[in-house]
Each structure stands twice: as structure tokens, then as C-alpha cells.
Amino acid sequence: MTNSKSFVANFVTSLNLFCGFLAIVYTSHGNYKLAAIFIIMAAIFDTLDGIIARLLSASSRFGVELDSLSDVVSFGAAPSFLIYKAYTYQFGLPGIIIGSLILIFGAFRLARFNIMVEDLNTKGDFTGLPIPLSALTISTLVFSYSTSSGLNEPFDIFIIPLILLLSFLMVSKVRYNALPKLKNKKIKEKIILFVTLIIALFLAFATNGRILFFIFLSIVLFGIFRHLYFSFFQKIRL
Amino acid sequence: MTNSKSFVANFVTSLNLFCGFLAIVYTSHGNYKLAAIFIIMAAIFDTLDGIIARLLSASSRFGVELDSLSDVVSFGAAPSFLIYKAYTYQFGLPGIIIGSLILIFGAFRLARFNIMVEDLNTKGDFTGLPIPLSALTISTLVFSYSTSSGLNEPFDIFIIPLILLLSFLMVSKVRYNALPKLKNKKIKEKIILFVTLIIALFLAFATNGRILFFIFLSIVLFGIFRHLYFSFFQKIRL
């Protein structure tokens, strides 16, 4: 549980959790762009801890538990609170409830994932939108299209449909293989994913961040089209 | 995973999570007393979901996972953020780090507990201060001794030592049997604990809340004295 190798991986997981806390703190200061950056950094640490655990052969049951506890804060509580402060606050209690959906459905997604990993030894792609992908879609939208007074027009009107879509997809049967929890993936595939993330970050700086939201939204929508395509294809085969 | 019985228990767990989110929201509005009440309510739902799962014989692996994901938000992120906004914000980055300790060490406590439950089938009392007890100590302090401008004097000077003590106790080997996660406890004991919580709440209203903090602080300190006593006692026996 506490050898020096798994300490390194668990330290990186703690950085994911700490970034989630920083995102909550900067959201409350009204600095939505910085809060969004901390959620993106949490996603980088989340990918990194898995790579480190594999490289050091230090995967542990403790590490897996700590990982999903960190994810529910960084990709559940933090983006829910960000979206509430940047937009849905104006609707009072219904706004709080809508904001909380990302957190509550994200927790359902993580709980379901955790029992699936144990029961089925699933590989590669998983049922439902992964919670980091939901958080990245929200935080890149806020990063690119918000000021200290909240989300910019005309993007603000898309936020409630987007929250409902992401929440539904997390608990749906739609499969995604982009940015899953990667417990059973090979180290090569993990590194490719990590490099992709770094390239995406570079593109973010080059385009002032505006391209990122559309990349993540495309991944989310592609999952739906693929699901519909395979539903149709499998019906033909039967 | 999703029969109607476990749905009821999981709905109550979701109310725990939603109360945690409300605590974060009202902390950001500067309503620290209301935020503290929501953390206390989260603790009530946390006890209640276990009772319901037992009464309906609807304990599930999914429920256990959802429970600890809810706990890290309601008893980790929410009290950390509450303590930051009500007091440690004034110290800048060190204040953020100190505030985050309750969250980070709380997550370590939950991860360790989750693997212990599976490995050892532990009963009754557990190693380390339970995260709800840490959260209740903080939130009852804030409830009784704060205004909208933050913690009252002279209680404010105790908060940093208290944060350090609670964080250390959560990852320590000091044993507690008050308010544990109770996965393996008998239904009778669960109901007794629940009734105790309700009586404590009644006392809270009668004394305007001021007695509660001292009750929880006493439980925390009693654990330390018991640990020291047994360390000494066992040394004599060897």
C-alpha cells in the first residue's frame, strides 16, 4: 500500500485532487478561465498518474480508489460549481439543481465504472461518456468563451442543453474509447493518449484556446453517431 | 445494480452528494452557517442510506462505491472550501494548501477504508478518524462561531491547529468507533447511532448549536486518549 513507487503515483493523483480544489477556489473568486485551466490540469495529472503507475509497475488497489475519489471532485464537483457560478446561478434553486447534474451523474458513472472493472475486466472502450471528457468539454467552453461576468453570448444559451446531454451520456449505454479510465490499457496506448493531450494543449495556446472546445464536443458527438450506426448495423446482422 | 429497492438507498446517497454541492454553493455566497447545516444534513443522509439499504436488504457494490464518492465531496471538498472561505483565504496560497488538507487526507482515509473493508472484513471500529466525524467537527464549529465575515474571535486561532489535528488523525493508526462507515454493523447499532444523531440535533437547536462542536471535539480527543491508554496498557501486558 505505501511503498515508495506507489507513493509517486499517489502523489500525482493528489495533484489531480488539489487542482480540483483550486478550480473550486478560483471559481468562487470569479476567475472562471483560471478555474477551467485547473480542471484541464487535473485531467493531465489524471492521465499521468496512470502512466507513472504502469511505468513503475506500481498499480495498487489503493491507487485505483484514490483515483476515482479525486475524479469525482475534479471532474464532478469542480465543473458543476464552475457552470453554476458562470451561468446557471441566475435561475436560483433550479439553477443549482441543473448545475449539480454533472456532479451527480458523474458520480453514478464512476461508481458504475468501478464495479464493471472488477466484474468484467473490460478493455479499451466503456459504456457511457467518461467523466473527464464531460469535464473537459465544459471547462474548454468556459475557458474560451467566458469573462469574469460569466459565459459570453451566444454560447451561453447552449450551456443547459450541453449539461443535459453530457449528464445523460455519462449514464447512457453509448460507448466511448477516448480518455477512459485506462486501467487495463497498454502503456503504449497510454503514452499516445498523453501525447495527444499535449498536442491539443499546444493547439489551445496557438488558437487562444478556441479550438479545444470543438475538439471535445466532436468526440462527444462522434460517440452518439457511432452508437446509432452500430445499433443499425447490428440490427442488419441479426 | 438497479432494482427499485437499491434505487431508494442510492437516491438517499445522491441527497448526501447534493447537500455537499449545496454546502459549496452557499459557502461561495458567504452564508457559512447554512453551508455548515448542509454538511450536517449530508451526514444525516449518509447514515440514513446505510439504514435503508439494510432494512430493504438492498446493499450493493454500486451503493458502496457511490457512498464513498459522495463522502469525498460532502465531507472532504465542502468542509475544505468552507474553512478556506471562512478563515484561511487571508493567507493566500498557503491558506489554500492548509484548507485543502481536510480534502486530501480525507480522500486518503476513504481510499484506505475501501480496501480494508474488502481485505479484512473489519467490524465495528476502524483505523483513523472517519471523514464524516472530521467534517462534523469543522461544520459545527463554523455553524456556532461564525458570521458572514468569517469565524469569530477567539475561535479563529484554533482553526489551523484543528485542521492539522483532524488531517493527521484521519491517516493515523488511532482507532474510532463513532460514526464509522458501518458497512458491517448490525441494523440495531445503526439505528442507535441515528437516534443519537437526532438527539444531538435537538440539543443543537436548544443550545443554539453551541454544544455540538464540543461534543464532536470530545469524541475526536477521546480517540487520542484511548489510543494512548491502550498503547500503554498493551506495553504492560507484553
Side-chain angles (χ1 to χ4, degrees):
Chain A
M1 172 175 147
T2 47
N3 63 56
S4 63
K5 280 181 181 177
S6 63
F7 174 81
V8 178
N10 294 336
F11 179 75
V12 175
T13 310
S14 304
L15 289 178
N16 162 4
L17 183 56
F18 185 62
C19 283
F21 186 67
L22 285 171
I24 292 173
V25 165
Y26 283 97
T27 297
S28 79
H29 292 181
N31 195 337
Y32 307 132
K33 276 184 194 287
L34 192 54
I37 290 173
F38 280 121
I39 294 174
I40 297 166
M41 281 180 62
I44 295 173
F45 286 123
D46 186 43
T47 317
L48 208 56
D49 68 4
I51 295 177
I52 290 172
R54 285 275 155 162
L55 282 177
L56 299 177
S57 309
S59 298
S60 67
R61 186 89 189 98
F62 179 82
V64 171
E65 292 288 341
L66 190 65
D67 204 40
S68 79
L69 293 168
S70 301
D71 287 0
V72 78
V73 174
S74 298
F75 311 131
S80 268
F81 183 52
L82 177 58
I83 229 63
Y84 168 75
K85 291 291 278 187
Y87 188 67
T88 69
Y89 73 92
Q90 59 195 296
F91 306 114
L93 183 63
I96 297 178
I97 294 170
I98 292 171
S100 75
L101 293 179
I102 293 291
L103 168 61
I104 292 169
F105 285 83
F108 274 79
R109 174 66 174 79
L110 282 167
R112 190 175 65 170
F113 177 84
N114 287 351
I115 54 171
M116 276 174 65
V117 164
E118 280 169 33
D119 292 354
L120 299 171
N121 201 21
T122 339
K123 275 174 200 159
D125 64 0
F126 297 105
T127 305
L129 181 72
I131 186 171
L133 203 46
S134 152
L136 285 168
T137 309
I138 289 170
S139 52
T140 51
L141 173 68
V142 172
F143 176 77
S144 299
Y145 304 104
S146 73
T147 60
S148 60
S149 59
L151 276 166
N152 301 343
E153 293 176 352
F155 289 93
D156 57 349
I157 57 161
F158 293 110
I159 193 67
I160 291 179
L162 184 67
I163 292 170
L164 297 177
L165 178 70
L166 294 173
S167 302
F168 166 74
L169 285 175
M170 283 193 281
V171 295
S172 73
K173 291 199 185 299
V174 177
R175 281 168 174 267
Y176 283 88
N177 51 15
L179 283 171
K181 296 297 299 161
L182 294 168
K183 255 94 204 184
N184 301 304
K185 279 215 166 181
K186 284 176 195 153
I187 184 73
K188 253 188 197 171
E189 296 171 55
K190 284 194 166 221
I191 290 173
I192 289 169
L193 250 170
F194 184 66
V195 169
T196 311
L197 209 64
I198 298 295
I199 292 172
L201 264 182
F202 175 78
L203 275 172
F205 282 103
T207 64
N208 230 357
R210 286 172 197 274
I211 204 172
L212 275 183
F213 168 62
F214 295 100
I215 292 175
F216 288 114
L217 187 65
S218 304
I219 298 172
V220 169
L221 296 178
F222 177 73
I224 302 174
F225 293 127
R226 195 176 66 155
H227 181 77
L228 293 174
Y229 174 76
F230 279 111
S231 305
F232 180 72
F233 187 70
Q234 285 180 337
K235 212 175 269 172
I236 296 283
R237 288 183 66 190
L238 283 173
Chain B
M1 176 175 147
T2 46
N3 62 57
S4 63
K5 279 182 181 176
S6 62
F7 173 82
V8 178
N10 294 336
F11 179 75
V12 176
T13 310
S14 304
L15 288 179
N16 162 3
L17 183 56
F18 185 62
C19 283
F21 186 67
L22 285 171
I24 293 172
V25 164
Y26 283 97
T27 297
S28 80
H29 292 181
N31 196 338
Y32 307 132
K33 276 184 195 287
L34 192 53
I37 290 173
F38 280 121
I39 294 174
I40 296 166
M41 281 179 63
I44 295 172
F45 286 123
D46 186 45
T47 317
L48 208 57
D49 67 3
I51 294 177
I52 290 172
R54 285 276 155 163
L55 281 176
L56 298 177
S57 310
S59 299
S60 68
R61 185 91 189 96
F62 179 82
V64 172
E65 292 287 341
L66 190 65
D67 202 41
S68 79
L69 292 168
S70 301
D71 287 359
V72 78
V73 173
S74 298
F75 310 131
S80 270
F81 183 52
L82 178 58
I83 230 59
Y84 168 75
K85 291 291 277 187
Y87 187 68
T88 70
Y89 73 92
Q90 58 194 300
F91 306 114
L93 183 62
I96 296 179
I97 294 170
I98 292 171
S100 75
L101 293 179
I102 293 291
L103 168 59
I104 292 170
F105 286 83
F108 274 79
R109 173 65 174 80
L110 282 167
R112 190 175 66 171
F113 176 84
N114 287 351
I115 54 172
M116 276 174 65
V117 165
E118 280 171 32
D119 293 354
L120 298 171
N121 200 21
T122 340
K123 277 174 201 159
D125 64 358
F126 297 104
T127 306
L129 180 71
I131 186 171
L133 203 46
S134 153
L136 284 169
T137 309
I138 290 171
S139 53
T140 51
L141 173 67
V142 172
F143 175 77
S144 298
Y145 304 104
S146 73
T147 60
S148 61
S149 59
L151 276 167
N152 301 345
E153 292 175 350
F155 289 92
D156 57 347
I157 58 161
F158 293 110
I159 193 69
I160 291 179
L162 183 66
I163 291 170
L164 298 176
L165 178 70
L166 295 173
S167 301
F168 165 75
L169 285 175
M170 281 193 282
V171 295
S172 73
K173 290 199 185 297
V174 177
R175 278 166 177 268
Y176 282 88
N177 51 16
L179 283 171
K181 296 296 299 158
L182 295 168
K183 254 97 202 180
N184 301 303
K185 278 215 168 181
K186 284 175 195 151
I187 185 70
K188 253 188 196 170
E189 296 172 55
K190 283 192 167 221
I191 289 173
I192 289 167
L193 251 169
F194 184 67
V195 170
T196 310
L197 209 64
I198 297 295
I199 291 171
L201 264 180
F202 174 78
L203 275 173
F205 282 101
T207 64
N208 229 357
R210 287 169 197 274
I211 205 172
L212 275 184
F213 168 63
F214 295 101
I215 292 175
F216 287 115
L217 188 66
S218 305
I219 297 171
V220 169
L221 296 178
F222 177 73
I224 302 174
F225 293 126
R226 194 176 66 155
H227 181 76
L228 293 174
Y229 173 78
F230 278 111
S231 306
F232 180 72
F233 187 69
Q234 285 181 336
K235 211 176 264 170
I236 298 283
R237 287 182 68 190
L238 284 171

